[in-house]
Amino acid sequence: VDALNIKRRAAYTDLAAKRAGATVSDVAAATGCQTLKSRVAQGQIYRLPAGDWQVKGAGPIALPDYCATAGN
């Protein structure tokens, strides 16, 4: 897990360097929001940063508040 997280942070750092004004945190948040939108299938359970568990229904996924400002 540590090795994967090191690689992930390096990728976020590279992306942030290529995007004017973006921080590593901005890139990580945007990537997390996109992952939630695209990879959680209907019926799957996922957890929001505040600790709330959600079940993906037929409609759009409930995203964390920061996704509105994470470039999505």
Side-chain angles (χ1 to χ4, degrees):
V1 172
D2 289 337
L4 181 62
N5 286 335
I6 289 168
K7 289 179 184 179
R8 183 178 292 127
R9 180 154 182 93
Y12 295 162
T13 301
D14 288 342
L15 283 173
K18 293 175 184 174
R19 296 181 183 171
T23 66
V24 174
S25 294
D26 293 338
V27 172
T31 302
C33 293
Q34 187 59 40
T35 299
L36 278 174
K37 282 194 250 182
S38 65
R39 293 191 184 167
V40 178
Q42 185 174 346
Q44 282 187 318
I45 299 170
Y46 62 99
R47 186 175 178 189
L48 296 174
D52 300 331
W53 289 94
Q54 302 284 323
V55 177
K56 169 82 166 66
I61 197 166
L63 292 171
D65 292 338
Y66 64 78
C67 286
T69 60
N72 292 297

